[in-house]
Amino acid sequence: MDALVKPPAVPLAVRSPYLNAWLEGGDTQCILPGQWPKFWTSQTQGWQGLVQVDGKTYTWMGAAPGFDHAKQVSLHYTSTKSEFVFDVDGKVHLTVTFLSPVYPDDLSRQSQQFSYVSVKVACSDTQKRNVQVYMDVSGEWASGNASHVVKWEQGVAGGNDGNVTYLKFSRENQEEFAEQHEVASWGNWYLSTNSGDGMTWQIGEDNVVRSHFKENKALANNQDTQFRAVGDRWPVFALSHDITVEKGGVPEKVFTLGLVQDQVINFAGHSQALRPIPGLWSSYWADEREAVAAFYNDYQYAREYSQALDTRIQDDSVRAAGQDYAAITTLALRQAFGGLQFAGTPDKPYIFLKEISSNSDIQTVDVIFPAYPIFHYLNATLSRYLLDPLFENQESGAYPNKWAEHDLGTFPVAKGYPEGLDEPMPLEECGNMIIMTLAYAQRTGDIGYLKDHYPKLEQWAEFLVEDSLVPANQLSTDDFAGTLANQTNLAIKGIIGLKAMGEIAKMTKGEDKWSKTAYDYLQTWKTYAINRDADLPHTTLSYGDNSSHGILYNLYADRLLNLNFVDQEIYDMQSAFYPTIALEYAVPLDTRHTWAKSDWEMFAAAVAGNSTRDMFIQKLAHWVGNSSTNRPMTDLFDARTGGFPDGPTFVARPVVGGMFALLALLH
């Protein structure tokens, strides 16, 4: 959609936790020339784009000094693409498209940590012109520490004809499964393009390489021989094309940028011992050069597939709740999948999730849960690959607690918690695991999955019997708000989880000892949870606190699982109440703050009446286009000001998969 709705930040190359580059918004109004693209942490990732027309050189991306800026005339984003159009001195129009494809039904393609940049050139007048297009990246992509030495090489790939030229660079001293400021300390980065006539390349000091292009309309086809630190005379890796533009012609040049890692996760599964898990890509290509060439040469398919997915999400979103809703979902897709790492083999694939920006945990259950709707909508089998590592680690006997584990460690090391010292969210995670497992089985028909994990699911359900009706003082997923006893919303999650366990028992055992308990708990919950003395009755934040209220977003699971368990009266009551407490940009999460959580806003919208649903969506779309935040879409903001809260700063988190909550119910 046209960025009349200006996003807080524009996704440029976003396909994994380590390939996660953005154009930050804010005061710049998302203008590409004049600022550096940023990693999700806000660290600079040197990425420079130049174009030369009639001997004069202009910047279309980046902040290198010494060049005038091309005039950005538009920005348009879809679910998979960000497209910028530039007027270059009134002589040519440059269309630059950043394509980060998402393949929910193709593990081989989705497993590659690569992204495309397409540059199209068209004359603005009738003259035939020679235009030179340039791109470079810096060593900042390969290390989060500018004092680390990077090494490099140039080569060709693509079979006998070598149709792909690549520039490869990496840290000289690799540290597998380590990070520096969230940037991977291992793996090889590749900038690639077509090897055809008019293509030149160069590796060297940033100012030297860019000046050579400016003065010669081409690069030198050579490289510095001295490997050095990222910040030592800033080595850059540059490619350029010489293009003849005829009247009516729109030639296109394509670049690819990405990372190859042989092993991607260190995981303690059934054996309890840590073992390296290969990148899933390595099952499909013989080596990384072949993978680089395959991705580059797949561009036409990627473009067509992405167009179809863009259209599907746009059209489904508009049909579900209008154009405002499409503005939200289309911005969320790349960010949600950008938190995922695809690993394992085709016979045993895994998806590992990074809890980006909040604490970098791996496989956080209450981050998978809010993200779950996007997988349910696009391909529910993906959710199994997210749940498998959690089941494997806990079924190995390595986790001692009777409730469900919160996460598996710190990305990219999934070692679990043999001493049981993970962040304690016992009721939260037991409910989440049971609900998600049933949702997967219902959507796919995989009853065998329920049978395989029944003992562990039953263990968690027994804990829900103990704790869900009157929750002890504990954290919920909204841990930034602190612990609280008798949480109304947390209790209904546990009670719905018990009803879900009843469905699992019927599907696998032909009997159900859980649903009666769930029903009895629900009747009691209704007496504890509702302030019926208010002008508009509503649930409270915690039992008996009639001065409080909160969004009852955990009702969503009842509808997701099609349980028809919670009384319609509760849905209608909450739907009538929410508009009375709405602020400028959202309905506050609860009475402890004016903070809002966008994922829970959409969970609530999905089960509200139409007018309340539209209110939630209109306010969130208003926030997307007017927020003072300038980083990858946050899920936590102040409902009054639209800015970051006076608390934690969340950015780029995969929980935005929750924006698809309405679509998960409809498809």
Side-chain angles (χ1 to χ4, degrees), residues 6-128:
K6 179 193 72 66
V10 182
L12 299 179
V14 180
R15 294 210 68 210
S16 76
Y18 298 134
L19 181 62
N20 210 290
W22 301 75
L23 172 67
E24 293 186 347
D27 294 340
T28 67
Q29 297 295 303
C30 297
I31 301 299
L32 192 59
Q35 62 172 325
W36 293 115
K38 300 290 181 66
F39 193 44
W40 65 259
T41 59
S42 273
Q43 295 164 245
T44 293
Q45 294 195 301
W47 199 1
Q48 181 68 37
L50 301 172
V51 59
Q52 192 164 150
V53 181
D54 292 347
K56 187 171 181 181
T57 306
Y58 303 83
T59 288
W60 54 264
M61 173 174 63
F67 306 102
D68 290 342
H69 294 172
K71 180 183 178 182
Q72 183 174 312
V73 296
S74 69
L75 161 63
H76 176 87
Y77 72 83
T78 68
S79 292
T80 63
K81 297 185 289 292
S82 300
E83 179 182 279
F84 299 81
V85 177
F86 304 95
D87 175 9
V88 186
D89 198 27
K91 297 175 180 177
V92 301
H93 272 82
L94 205 67
T95 301
V96 180
T97 303
F98 296 84
L99 169 61
S100 293
V102 173
Y103 300 105
D105 55 2
D106 189 331
L107 290 177
S108 63
R109 287 183 165 96
Q110 187 59 37
S111 68
Q112 289 200 289
Q113 299 182 73
F114 282 95
S115 190
Y116 297 99
V117 184
S118 157
V119 181
K120 292 181 178 179
V121 188
C123 286
S124 302
D125 52 29
T126 59
Q127 279 190 260
K128 175 181 176 180

Side-chain angles (χ1 to χ4, degrees), residues 8-9 14 17 20 22 24 38-43 182 335-336 338-339 354-360 367 597-598 623 627-637 643-645 647-656:
V14 180
N20 210 290
W22 301 75
E24 293 186 347
K38 300 290 181 66
F39 193 44
W40 65 259
T41 59
S42 273
Q43 295 164 245
E182 309 287 346
Q335 179 170 323
K354 181 171 184 174
E355 187 181 338
I356 288 177
S357 80
S358 34
N359 59 13
S360 296
V367 171
K597 284 284 273 98
S598 59
W623 175 83
S627 171
S628 60
T629 65
N630 68 336
R631 296 178 63 190
M633 186 165 52
T634 183
D635 55 288
L636 179 66
F637 58 91
F644 286 117
T649 299
F650 293 167
V651 298
R653 298 202 324 152
V655 299
V656 296

